[in-house]
Amino acid sequence: MKYLSKNKNKSIAIIAFACLFSAISCTKLEPKLYSDLTTKNAYSSESDIDAALTGIYASLSPYPGDAYLYYAGYLVMITDYSTDMGFSTAAGDPTKMSNLTYDDNNRYFKFNYQNMYQVISNANSLLSNITDVAIGDAKKKQVIAQARFLRALSYMDLTDAFGPVPLITEVQNPSESYNLPLASVEEIEALVTQDCQYAIDNLPEKWSADLGIGRATKGAALTLLGKMYMRSHKYDKAKPLIDEVLALRSKGVYRLNPDFKNEWSDNNKIDMGLIFGILHEPTLNGGEITNHFGPSDNREVPDRWQYYGVSLQFWRKYSDLDPRKKFFYYDYEGLAPRDKNTTHGFFYMMPKLGQTAPPSDTVKLLQNVATKKYSYDMTNNSYLDGRTIQVFRIADVILCKAEIENALNGPQAALPYINEIRARAGAPEYGINANFPVPASKEAMIDALVDERGFEFVFEYKRRQDLIRLGRYEKVTNEYLQSRGLKPVATPALRYFPYPLDEARQHQEMSSANASRIPN
């Protein structure tokens, strides 16, 4: 890989660099400060291993100055944004993603690809060096299990986005790593299965407080492996894994918050529904998540950019009876004065369907809408905030259960689980409200699940994968594009993104594949 070539022989040093400048979800894992770290002395003690593990976690939300890469923001552009969910007012690559006019030179492909492989590289470095370090056997297994889980998560993300990719499980000589053959998705899933099973066997259900928060757990590994089987429609294999996560809920390890809004409160950083996430602290490793996802010119959450905006077409899919429709910023007066002669701001109005002109010169029509998920109930208004990024949560697992039951046993078996999420949100339940009849077939339940997963997981990095897995990617995306007067270009060939241009230039397989992966 090109980015590995840039790093030369510094793959271990990169881990230390991440540790020096980035605390991560394991807030009890204190990174060691190295003055002369080399590949020869990097792994000589238990504290070195702790620092290296911290570095792997840190690379999920890289912190080179401002945290906005991979799970800190960029991942949304190759998941939710390139569907019916995203609409950009920013020129260039963001608009190309939301319009499906991207090419292989889009920065979101380049940086997500590189950062996913950085996690894998850091994990491989630790796994290749831990054997000879003096650590108790129990802890060693737990460290290995965490590294393997994080590697599996990144390979899952890579294959979701790009399909076949190079399979790297050892530290590579950079001069020999730029043109590795592509491994099939099935080959990579075999590694993900092995890594997740090791994590399931060796990680605790939850960590004791003295060992930190935010670490991968057995439940996280079960969820990841279950979702991998669901991706390939192996619902019979996914079922026992998802059931085991739900059994952990029954034991009290997880709990569905009765108020969906409180899952996102800054006063509730570690909700009981969180299975795996990335935790930030403003003074240590604060990210830009609120800046990117927060509203523009808003009194409640000032100085934000609304860089990642939800399309009005998607927002209008919510029922007016669904309280989640109100969990966005709209119909508000802005903070900035309209001009030098007034202290009042513009009123930002949600336009009615078909409305193109504001009713007065003091009103601006919204072009997209900002979610409240990453700015709700803020306790710190700093530029680098302390928001939690939720990767897996129990609501996702409950809807996975609904999908599995529908596939194996039909819509009636799925009904209690989809209704549990709707009831928690205060939305009308299927079969309870006359306007929401029970879906009568498996296909009808799939349509209901497509909607429900969108409503519940807006901008949680899931929409594109959900649409593809449930067989609705082309239909939903093309309907959205046509509603905006754009060409309906979504085809099965676009279910994988083009490989980044820098990589494809050095890799014949990637270059050949890209011709069909770029929208026409």
Side-chain angles (χ1 to χ4, degrees):
M1 260 113 277
K2 183 174 181 181
Y3 75 94
L4 287 175
S5 300
K6 287 183 192 175
N7 292 337
K8 301 296 181 184
N9 291 318
K10 299 178 182 176
S11 58
I12 306 299
I14 285 172
I15 297 174
F17 182 86
C19 295
L20 287 170
F21 295 97
S22 176
I24 43 75
S25 52
C26 301
T27 56
K28 294 289 185 179
L29 281 177
E30 293 297 332
K32 181 175 181 178
L33 304 183
Y34 293 99
S35 59
D36 60 343
L37 187 69
T38 69
T39 54
K40 292 183 178 180
N41 70 6
Y43 295 96
S44 59
S45 68
E46 185 172 339
S47 61
D48 296 336
I49 292 296
D50 287 341
L53 179 61
T54 299
I56 307 173
Y57 279 103
S59 48
L60 288 176
S61 178
Y63 190 60
D66 295 344
Y68 53 85
L69 298 171
Y70 201 5
Y71 275 97
Y74 267 25
L75 184 61
V76 80
M77 299 301 278
I78 64 167
T79 51
D80 297 346
Y81 227 75
S82 52
T83 67
D84 60 326
M85 193 174 282
F87 178 82
S88 180
T89 58
D93 287 347
T95 291
K96 291 176 182 178
M97 294 302 297
S98 66
N99 290 357
L100 262 68
T101 56
Y102 54 77
D103 59 25
D104 53 1
N105 199 33
N106 194 291
R107 73 175 180 266
Y108 296 108
F109 303 146
K110 173 182 177 179
F111 287 110
N112 278 299
Y113 185 94
Q114 289 183 352
N115 282 280
M116 290 169 186
Y117 267 112
Q118 190 62 71
V119 174
I120 292 165
S121 175
N122 290 352
N124 288 340
S125 294
L126 184 152
L127 293 170
S128 297
N129 287 278
I130 193 173
T131 304
D132 297 328
V133 180
I135 304 177
D137 185 60
K139 178 175 179 178
K140 182 176 287 189
K141 287 181 177 179
Q142 289 182 338
V143 170
I144 291 171
Q146 290 172 80
R148 293 185 69 169
F149 166 81
L150 294 168
R151 181 173 68 179
L153 176 64
S154 290
Y155 267 125
M156 186 75 171
D157 290 339
L158 273 166
T159 49
D160 274 342
F162 302 105
V165 291
L167 181 58
I168 306 172
T169 59
E170 298 178 352
V171 177
Q172 293 283 335
N173 181 336
S175 65
E176 299 173 355
S177 64
Y178 66 90
N179 195 26
L180 295 174
L182 300 182
S184 68
V185 172
E186 291 74 19
E187 289 176 287
I188 293 167
E189 286 183 342
L191 176 69
V192 171
T193 301
Q194 294 167 12
D195 282 352
C196 285
Q197 191 59 59
Y198 188 92
I200 291 166
D201 293 340
N202 290 284
L203 289 178
E205 295 175 359
K206 57 184 178 180
W207 294 88
S208 60
D210 62 312
L211 290 176
I213 55 178
R215 294 175 183 257
T217 60
K218 179 178 182 177
L222 286 164
T223 301
L224 178 57
L225 186 55
K227 289 172 78 71
M228 187 205 79
Y229 283 130
M230 290 175 66
R231 180 173 71 175
S232 54
H233 302 133
K234 296 176 182 177
Y235 290 108
D236 57 332
K237 290 188 175 182
K239 186 180 188 300
L241 299 164
I242 295 302
D243 284 347
E244 200 167 342
V245 182
L246 293 176
L248 292 174
R249 178 173 73 149
S250 298
K251 289 177 62 176
V253 176
Y254 307 117
R255 178 177 66 89
L256 189 64
N257 197 309
D259 186 342
F260 75 92
K261 298 187 298 300
N262 283 344
E263 286 198 32
W264 302 98
S265 170
D266 209 11
N267 286 295
N268 184 32
K269 284 185 180 295
I270 313 165
D271 187 78
M272 282 290 290
L274 180 66
I275 296 174
F276 180 68
I278 301 166
L279 278 62
H280 292 104
E281 293 294 339
T283 57
L284 295 175
N285 69 328
E288 291 187 45
I289 196 80
T290 303
N291 295 323
H292 286 91
F293 290 84
S296 175
D297 189 21
N298 184 277
R299 294 176 182 274
E300 184 180 344
V301 190
D303 302 320
R304 308 299 164 170
W305 311 332
Q306 201 164 326
Y307 198 63
Y308 302 142
V310 174
S311 74
L312 301 187
Q313 287 84 347
F314 179 84
W315 179 84
R316 290 188 176 111
K317 291 182 180 182
Y318 283 94
S319 165
D320 289 340
L321 300 176
D322 190 335
R324 291 171 297 188
K325 189 173 188 177
K326 298 180 181 179
F327 203 54
F328 295 84
Y329 294 96
Y330 61 94
D331 292 349
Y332 62 87
E333 183 180 311
L335 175 64
R338 295 193 299 272
D339 56 51
K340 63 182 180 180
N341 298 317
T342 181
T343 59
H344 290 283
F346 285 99
F347 184 78
Y348 292 88
M349 172 184 166
M350 179 64 68
K352 296 178 181 179
L353 191 63
Q355 183 179 9
T356 58
S360 74
D361 61 2
T362 65
V363 175
K364 289 187 176 183
L365 298 181
L366 289 168
Q367 299 179 67
N368 58 16
V369 60
T371 178
K372 289 187 176 181
K373 283 185 174 178
Y374 299 104
S375 52
Y376 179 67
D377 196 20
M378 292 186 70
T379 61
N380 186 294
N381 202 37
S382 63
Y383 175 82
L384 298 177
D385 58 76
R387 306 302 297 195
T388 298
I389 299 172
Q390 303 202 41
V391 179
F392 297 138
R393 57 188 179 99
I394 196 65
D396 185 7
V397 172
I398 293 169
L399 286 179
C400 285
K401 175 66 170 174
E403 182 178 333
I404 291 167
E405 289 299 330
N406 183 55
L408 297 179
N409 302 305
Q412 284 292 337
L415 187 63
Y417 303 101
I418 190 171
N419 271 348
E420 181 178 4
I421 298 304
R422 292 183 65 80
R424 188 278 291 264
E429 296 176 59
Y430 290 106
I432 305 297
N433 184 296
N435 294 319
F436 292 83
V438 175
S441 66
K442 286 185 177 182
E443 287 298 307
M445 180 58 82
I446 287 174
D447 288 333
L449 286 167
V450 165
D451 287 343
E452 190 60 29
R453 289 189 65 84
F455 300 152
E456 181 68 20
F457 304 123
V458 61
F459 276 7
E460 293 185 53
Y461 315 121
K462 293 175 173 59
R463 182 63 169 174
R464 191 169 185 274
Q465 299 94 306
D466 288 345
L467 290 176
I468 291 171
R469 183 183 69 254
L470 291 167
R472 300 295 188 268
Y473 168 68
E474 294 87 359
K475 178 179 184 293
V476 170
T477 304
N478 282 332
E479 286 176 352
Y480 165 65
L481 293 172
Q482 288 178 307
S483 74
R484 293 183 48 211
L486 299 173
K487 185 178 178 182
V489 296
T491 66
L494 298 191
R495 294 185 179 190
Y496 291 136
F497 288 120
Y499 297 103
L501 179 61
D502 288 349
E503 303 293 333
R505 281 173 171 166
Q506 304 178 73
H507 201 295
Q508 183 58 49
E509 286 182 278
M510 292 183 180
S511 179
S512 298
N514 275 4
S516 63
R517 296 182 175 201
I518 297 172
N520 294 315

